[in-house]
Each structure stands twice: as structure tokens, then as C-alpha cells.
Amino acid sequence: MQGFYVTFFTEQNRKHQGKPIGEWLIQKALELGLEGATMSTMSEGFGHDHKLHSAHFIDLSDQPVKVMLASHPEGISQLMDAIKQSNLNVAYVKTPVEFGMTLTA
């Protein structure tokens, strides 16, 4: 199947509509019926502001988070429209891909 692979980048402490942004993105993808999404926490990174974000032993609030998903063009378009309509500001990378499932007999 042809579609798009999208990765969103945020931090643990960023919230949207009362939820961490990563959770909001996963929930929205689920509501829209996208094929799947995965959220991962990272140990360190920096964004467009060139500020270093990292996980600290005691405080994880600044820990980088990424949400990754692959879906058909219509699903990704619906997700991006929902993000725009909710005024969510989040960094992303969107790449055309072929995706699917391998089946074993």
C-alpha cells in the first residue's frame, strides 16, 4: 500500500487540550481509524530553537518524545487537518512510503 510515514517530535511536558501531545496524537490517529501509531521516548535531542532537551534522572518533563505512524494518504490528510483545526503546533517529518504486512503460511 502506498501512503505516508509521519514522525512528530515533542517533549513530555508539552500538553494540548489537557493531554500530553504524544497521547493526543495517538488518540486522534485511533479515532480516525489510522492503521497504527507508536510513541517512543528519547534520551536527548534539540529542535528548531537549538535548546537541548533531555531526560534527567529525577525530572523527565523535558524528555524528547516522537510519535510515528504510517497510513494511506487520506488518513494522513485527515490527521493533519485535525491538527490544524485544533491549533496544535508540533514539528513533523512526512515521507512517502510503501507499507503493509507480511503474511506467513
Side-chain angles (χ1 to χ4, degrees):
M1 180 177 280
Q2 299 297 314
F4 291 99
Y5 178 78
V6 182
T7 304
F8 295 96
F9 302 93
T10 187
E11 295 90 41
Q12 287 278 27
N13 62 345
R14 292 193 58 218
K15 295 191 184 294
H16 183 67
Q17 298 178 346
K19 290 183 180 179
I21 289 177
E23 288 180 28
W24 187 93
L25 289 166
I26 295 273
Q27 184 63 41
K28 188 56 68 176
L30 186 61
E31 288 172 14
L32 293 171
L34 274 63
E35 283 76 4
T38 301
M39 181 169 50
S40 297
T41 55
M42 308 284 89
S43 59
E44 193 169 69
F46 70 91
H48 68 281
D49 60 0
H50 292 95
K51 179 184 175 213
L52 191 62
H53 301 279
S54 60
H56 301 284
F57 181 69
I58 295 173
D59 182 14
L60 297 177
S61 65
D62 195 41
Q63 185 175 24
V65 173
K66 70 178 180 177
V67 175
M68 305 149 288
L69 54 95
S71 188
H72 54 282
E74 297 80 17
I76 297 298
S77 179
Q78 289 175 338
L79 178 61
M80 298 306 274
D81 287 345
I83 290 167
K84 182 182 267 187
Q85 289 173 2
S86 70
N87 293 316
L88 173 58
N89 184 21
V90 62
Y92 70 93
V93 174
K94 178 178 165 185
T95 308
V97 295
E98 176 182 332
F99 69 96
M101 297 286 294
T102 58
L103 301 177
T104 57

